[in-house]
Amino acid sequence: MTAKASEIVFNKKKQVAPLSIIALEGASELGRKINNYLVEWWNNSGYKTDSFLIKNECPRFASGDAKGIIRNSIRGDDVYIVVDVGNHSCTYELFGRQNNMSPDDHFQNLKRIIQAAGGKAHRINVIMPALYGGRQHRRNYRESLDCAVALQELEAMGVENVITFDAHDSRVCNAVPLMGFDNIIPSYQVLKALTRHVTDLKLNQNSFMMVSPDEGALHRNMYFASVLGVDLGMFYKRRDYSRIVSGRNPIVAHEYLGNSVEGKDVFISDDIVSSGESMLEVAYELKKRNAARILVYATYTIFTNGLEGFDKAYNDGIIDYVFGTNLTYRPPELLDRKWYCDVDISKYIAYLIMAMNHDISTSRVIDPHLKIKNLLKKFNRDGFVVGAEKMMRGLS
């Protein structure tokens, strides 16, 4: 598998089975983009097709009951079901009222479509970027284990592979040790978007720094710091463990550990921006320490408390950019914000699908080291790339 789309070749004889893609309601935009790449590569390989997408729907009765329907034949196909459990913009009617779909509703629709397949597909793979129940991945006291049970349900229904992105805790895959489970971090795509949107960055130790917003995000920020050859700082959250507010222990304060951020551009990376309160508190703390520009990235930017806090932080000069992926629903008002930069992951997913459909090792697609090294060569002009290449060789 090579990095250039023009060099990608479909081969019917080497396919595991004919390819089909089912994009569920809420994931239709991502599904179309993935399909467009695959159709282009297929047609460039000498074959002809208009689409790999399979028509499907999950209509509901007035009582709220539903059923899954697959409109085209998938017998003997290698089926990839794309689902966005975080798309709250989808609605359905219940007793005359419009209800927004929750992650539970999307997961039930996924199971309905798998049932509709009726065991006729050659193989069923689920692409679930935002892992259902991913934030309830471990048990404290008498609690449910939603994510682990959901994965076991999919395995019992005949799903062979699950592909997710930036899982809150990838160790949840231990619940299904015999099922394929890939947790993918789109590091290269993020850095590519960063260098395209902020062209005057100086990626060196004197001008740039990674900061982890908490101890849970340390590993991802450590990776970025390593491949870029820059310093790493972190905040840790002091919590009040005597109280539970909105399902979690409230944060008392953010404490900083690390070198000085004065005069440096700071890049903060996390898996999810939910309410955004923690990220904003970290940004304000960094500005108190005289950081230059603050660049925020989260794989899933869901902003459950709205955008006003980030609007104010942008207008006050606290935050310069927020990067987020198109792996989950982004409301139109977010896409219109000057401070928001969208990171498209659809081409990456198309690579993965094509590799799996040809039974090629996905590690060639997942491993971003070479791509990042080439990106740094192209972006840097001040000699820093030499140090970065040494760091890359040490990681590979």
Side-chain angles (χ1 to χ4, degrees), residues 137 174 187 196 203 223 247 255 271 330:
H137 60 283
N174 292 328
S187 307
R196 281 185 173 180
L203 299 176
Y223 177 83
E255 305 289 349
D271 62 333
R330 296 98 59 233

Side-chain angles (χ1 to χ4, degrees), residues 213 235 254 268 273-288 294 296 303 305-316 318-320 322 339:
F235 283 86
H254 288 84
I268 310 169
V273 170
S274 182
S275 67
E277 293 176 0
S278 295
M279 194 67 80
L280 287 174
E281 289 177 13
V282 166
Y284 278 100
E285 287 295 325
L286 288 170
K287 277 297 182 180
K288 289 179 184 178
I294 295 180
V296 173
F303 296 105
N305 285 7
L307 305 174
E308 290 75 16
F310 280 81
D311 285 337
K312 184 178 185 304
Y314 174 74
N315 293 329
D316 292 345
I318 304 299
I319 287 177
D320 290 85
V322 176
W339 45 263

Side-chain angles (χ1 to χ4, degrees), residues 14-308:
K14 292 185 178 180
Q15 282 184 285
V16 170
L19 175 63
S20 290
I21 301 172
I22 298 178
L24 301 190
E25 182 183 8
S28 56
E29 177 192 357
L30 182 61
R32 281 195 301 270
K33 289 186 175 183
I34 295 169
N35 178 66
N36 289 341
Y37 282 113
L38 292 171
V39 168
E40 179 186 351
W41 299 338
W42 180 263
N43 291 336
N44 288 342
S45 299
Y47 307 106
K48 294 297 179 183
T49 188
D50 294 326
S51 178
F52 292 104
L53 288 173
I54 299 296
K55 293 181 180 179
N56 70 98
E57 58 181 309
C58 291
R60 288 181 179 266
F61 303 98
S63 62
D65 294 330
K67 60 181 178 181
I69 303 174
I70 298 175
R71 295 294 184 184
N72 306 96
S73 173
I74 57 167
R75 184 178 292 275
D77 287 2
D78 188 22
V79 177
Y80 294 81
I81 305 176
V82 186
V83 56
D84 178 11
V85 299
N87 193 334
H88 58 274
S89 71
C90 301
T91 61
Y92 63 92
E93 192 169 298
L94 177 64
F95 288 92
R97 296 183 178 181
Q98 289 294 319
N99 274 21
N100 290 80
M101 289 181 67
S102 70
D104 294 339
D105 294 316
H106 285 290
F107 187 68
Q108 285 300 117
N109 280 355
L110 169 64
K111 292 194 292 183
R112 291 181 178 113
I113 291 298
I114 295 172
Q115 292 177 62
K120 301 301 190 295
H122 175 80
R123 182 174 67 178
I124 292 180
N125 312 274
V126 171
I127 299 175
M128 187 189 298
L131 195 60
Y132 172 75
R135 302 184 76 181
Q136 185 52 33
H137 60 283
R138 62 183 179 186
R139 172 175 286 159
N140 294 315
Y141 310 110
R142 292 176 291 277
E143 297 179 343
S144 60
L145 280 169
D146 293 28
C147 191
V149 171
L151 290 174
Q152 290 174 351
E153 282 188 88
L154 295 180
E155 183 181 38
M157 296 182 76
V159 174
E160 291 194 29
N161 298 290
V162 170
I163 298 174
T164 190
F165 285 78
D166 214 344
H168 198 62
D169 190 337
S170 61
R171 290 174 296 182
V172 74
C173 69
N174 292 328
V176 283
L178 299 182
M179 183 176 73
F181 184 95
D182 285 307
N183 176 47
I184 299 166
I185 312 297
S187 307
Y188 167 72
Q189 287 72 20
V190 175
L191 290 177
K192 186 177 181 180
L194 176 66
T195 55
R196 281 185 173 180
H197 283 89
V198 192
T199 56
D200 60 341
L201 278 177
K202 295 182 179 179
L203 299 176
N204 56 57
Q205 287 185 327
N206 296 324
S207 306
F208 192 80
M209 188 170 177
M210 294 297 307
V211 171
S212 175
D214 55 39
E215 57 275 23
L218 184 60
H219 66 285
R220 76 185 74 246
N221 287 276
M222 187 182 300
Y223 177 83
F224 281 121
S226 297
V227 298
L228 295 174
V230 298
D231 291 334
L232 171 68
M234 71 164 286
F235 283 86
Y236 72 91
K237 300 173 182 176
R238 284 202 290 117
R239 295 182 180 270
D240 182 359
Y241 288 98
S242 65
R243 298 185 298 136
I244 296 179
V245 178
S246 299
R248 61 180 183 176
N249 301 106
I251 299 169
V252 177
H254 288 84
E255 305 289 349
Y256 178 70
L257 298 173
N259 295 337
S260 172
V261 298
E262 185 173 357
K264 295 181 180 180
D265 292 330
V266 176
F267 187 50
I268 310 169
S269 174
D270 207 350
D271 62 333
I272 185 171
V273 170
S274 182
S275 67
E277 293 176 0
S278 295
M279 194 67 80
L280 287 174
E281 289 177 13
V282 166
Y284 278 100
E285 287 295 325
L286 288 170
K287 277 297 182 180
K288 289 179 184 178
R289 292 168 171 79
N290 298 318
R293 290 178 294 186
I294 295 180
L295 314 167
V296 173
Y297 162 72
T299 306
Y300 304 103
T301 47
I302 59 177
F303 296 105
T304 56
N305 285 7
L307 305 174
E308 290 75 16

Side-chain angles (χ1 to χ4, degrees), residues 335-349:
L335 297 175
D336 290 338
R337 289 301 197 271
K338 293 181 180 179
W339 45 263
Y340 180 75
C341 303
D342 210 35
V343 182
D344 188 2
I345 312 295
S346 57
K347 188 175 183 180
Y348 194 16
I349 298 176

